[in-house]
């Protein structure tokens, strides 16, 4: 079963007022989704974000954003550069491929050896 992990690609401190406690210490984080399977490690194009107030520890959802927060969010969203979508094989994949090649090679050797004896 593949494990999913959100990897931080950019974090920014905002000096806008928190809609909950009116403190000026917000943290905006952008995440990219990675999946880890037994044979492949995949990087997806999915980028998500989360804004948290550092003082009251509440998550600030887009419904309660002010115009200033939206402007800062749009600015930082343009600066986010996610990794390209990719799929990389793991060590287990290479070991299994090597075993498969060895088995096929051994089978061909045994088959050819029997043909030569007759």
């Amino acid at each position: 079963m593949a494990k999913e992990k959100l990897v931080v690609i950019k974090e920014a401190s905002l000096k806008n007022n928190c809609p909950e406690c009116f403190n000026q210490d917000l943290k905006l984080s952008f995440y990219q989704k990675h999946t880890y399977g037994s044979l492949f490690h995949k990087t997806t194009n999915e980028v998500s974000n989360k804004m948290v107030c550092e003082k009251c520890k509440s998550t600030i959802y887009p419904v309660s954003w002010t115009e200033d927060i939206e402007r800062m969010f749009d600015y930082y969203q343009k600066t986010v550069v996610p990794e390209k979508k990719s799929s990389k094989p793991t060590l287990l994949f290479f070991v299994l491929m090597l075993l498969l090649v060895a088995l096929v090679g051994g089978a061909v050797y045994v088959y050819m050896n029997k043909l030569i004896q007759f």
Side-chain angles (χ1 to χ4, degrees):
M1 179 138 199
K3 293 182 182 179
E4 294 180 354
K5 184 178 179 185
L6 294 176
V7 177
V8 176
I9 53 176
K10 184 160 186 116
E11 285 186 335
S13 295
L14 305 179
K15 296 299 177 192
N16 297 56
N17 289 336
C18 171
E20 303 291 325
C21 67
F22 302 106
N23 188 30
Q24 291 187 347
D25 196 15
L26 298 176
K27 184 177 181 182
L28 176 62
S29 302
F30 291 94
Y31 302 96
Q32 187 172 19
K33 184 177 172 183
H34 291 243
T35 56
Y36 297 94
S38 56
L39 297 177
F40 288 99
H41 167 219
K42 295 179 183 178
T43 303
T44 63
N45 282 337
E46 279 187 49
V47 176
S48 60
N49 58 57
K50 185 176 183 180
M51 189 178 302
V52 177
C53 176
E54 292 292 313
K55 184 175 182 187
C56 65
K57 303 294 183 200
S58 61
T59 302
I60 313 300
Y61 295 102
V63 175
S64 60
W65 288 358
T66 62
E67 289 182 27
D68 294 334
I69 293 175
E70 283 187 40
R71 264 188 259 128
M72 294 302 289
F73 174 78
D74 290 339
Y75 170 76
Y76 281 108
Q77 190 175 25
K78 290 177 186 176
T79 63
V80 171
V81 180
E83 293 179 28
K84 289 183 178 179
K85 182 179 178 179
S86 65
S87 180
K88 298 176 187 174
T90 62
L91 182 62
L92 179 62
F93 175 80
F94 289 117
V95 168
L96 291 175
M97 289 303 293
L98 186 62
L99 283 173
L100 181 66
V101 168
L103 285 173
V104 169
V108 168
Y109 176 75
V110 168
Y111 180 73
M112 295 301 277
N113 233 0
K114 286 185 178 181
L115 283 179
I116 293 174
Q117 288 178 356
F118 289 112

